[in-house]
Amino acid sequence: MADEIRALSAQLAQDPQSLVFLRLGEALRRKGQLDSATRVAMNGLERHPHLADAHDLYARILTDKHDYARAFDEWDMAVRIAPNHTGALKGLAFLYFKVGDIAQAETHLEQARKVEPDDPTIDQAFEMMHKGAAPPAPAPTTSTADSSAAASPAAASSTAQAPPGGGFDEARVFAGLEGANEGLLLIDGAGRVLGGSLRDGSGSDVADSVAAYLAGVSQEAARTAKLLGLGAWNGLSAEGQHGNVHLAHPTPEALLLVVRERGTPLGRLAILAQRATSLARRWLEQQ
């Protein structure tokens, strides 16, 4: 464990924007170093405030500190960003049980079971509650491990080359599109990169950082459009000083970002995004 913490700390020091802080914070929490885990989680949240997994990590640390009120706020924020985040749903169920609200606890567990019907810990929690015992505090979700693993170039490469069902085969999704997968980024509601590639002007890979920042944008855009009476939103285009972007949502939770050079007409960008969105939606439906 100590070697793992040292290795993860070194990775985070080299790249403070890396999502490896999720694994480091969890490792520190498991070792009982809650003050250090808190610092790691809060620094991660400052850089990735829209990452549901970061709020989930901080909530688990706060739960270990018996700071249940703040833990509730963090898990509630995680669910607002990613409504199907099972770790946060199970965490809220745990806290509702602690205050005696069994109905709300069961409601949140049922929602978690709809997302992950094969998760044995959910059935275990139901069984414990029916016996009058508090369900176990939630462990990290799979998405946390996936997000932090994506911070490693080797892990990202392995994921990209994985077979269907075990990873995202970018060639199958974006093959035939102008520019292949470069400048295309598909993310889920929790801010995880599902496919594509995105680099800044210097050529550095910024896919993970951008994905984390955009987590929850689809839900926020939908709420804003509803408040303004605009109906469902289909896409958003913007011109930047050094490039143009288009946002679309293949599914209610997934988000597709298309980035092209400054001179690309927004109409052409929207057409490219529409074609990429159709391919991405088809792939997502097959998973």
Side-chain angles (χ1 to χ4, degrees):
M1 176 70 78
D3 290 341
E4 179 188 12
I5 290 174
R6 280 195 292 270
L8 293 173
S9 297
Q11 290 183 46
L12 188 60
Q14 290 178 352
D15 182 8
Q17 292 291 334
S18 169
L19 299 187
V20 76
F21 81 88
L22 295 169
R23 290 171 56 198
L24 176 58
E26 178 60 22
L28 290 167
R29 185 189 75 84
R30 288 181 180 276
K31 199 173 181 181
Q33 298 181 11
L34 298 183
D35 289 341
S36 296
T38 297
R39 286 194 294 271
V40 170
M42 292 186 69
N43 287 337
L45 277 168
E46 286 181 5
R47 293 183 170 87
H48 307 288
H50 304 293
L51 182 62
D53 283 346
H55 290 280
D56 176 48
L57 168 64
Y58 190 30
R60 280 182 278 109
I61 296 169
L62 291 169
T63 298
D64 286 354
K65 290 183 170 185
H66 304 289
D67 191 345
Y68 299 129
R70 292 171 66 192
F72 183 95
D73 290 341
E74 292 300 319
W75 270 321
D76 182 63
M77 178 60 70
V79 170
R80 289 175 183 272
I81 295 170
N84 290 333
H85 194 290
T86 55
L89 290 169
K90 289 188 287 186
L92 289 172
F94 170 78
L95 294 180
Y96 274 121
F97 183 88
K98 294 282 288 185
V99 298
D101 193 337
I102 306 302
Q104 279 292 342
E106 291 184 342
T107 295
H108 283 77
L109 283 178
E110 285 289 1
Q111 189 174 347
R113 183 152 60 184
K114 290 178 181 178
V115 180
E116 293 188 17
D118 298 325
D119 184 348
T121 66
I122 297 175
D123 291 332
Q124 178 188 3
F126 269 117
E127 183 178 351
M128 293 180 69
M129 284 199 306
H130 292 158
K131 292 180 179 179
T141 61
T142 302
S143 61
T144 301
D146 290 345
S147 296
S148 53
S152 163
S157 174
S158 173
T159 300
Q161 296 174 5
F168 193 97
D169 186 346
E170 298 165 356
R172 290 178 58 238
V173 180
F174 297 122
L177 286 179
E178 173 193 358
N181 66 359
E182 183 62 39
L184 292 168
L185 194 64
L186 181 65
I187 69 173
D188 67 6
R192 292 178 297 170
V193 176
L194 298 178
S197 174
L198 196 62
R199 300 183 183 278
D200 62 14
S202 65
S204 300
D205 188 343
V206 295
D208 288 327
S209 298
V210 171
Y213 183 80
L214 290 176
V217 166
S218 183
Q219 288 82 7
E220 288 299 326
R223 280 194 286 268
T224 301
K226 182 178 180 180
L227 287 172
L228 294 174
L230 301 177
W233 78 284
N234 296 316
L236 174 65
S237 296
E239 290 183 313
Q241 192 171 10
H242 302 291
N244 296 342
V245 300
H246 185 92
L247 285 172
H249 57 127
T251 68
E253 292 184 11
L255 194 69
L256 176 71
L257 174 67
V258 183
V259 180
R260 287 295 184 267
E261 62 274 9
R262 178 69 174 83
T264 304
L266 294 184
R268 180 181 176 188
L269 193 62
I271 292 173
L272 173 61
Q274 185 179 31
R275 291 158 64 189
T277 297
S278 297
L279 292 174
R281 182 183 297 117
R282 191 178 309 149
W283 183 87
L284 289 167
E285 290 173 350
Q286 292 173 351
Q287 302 311 299

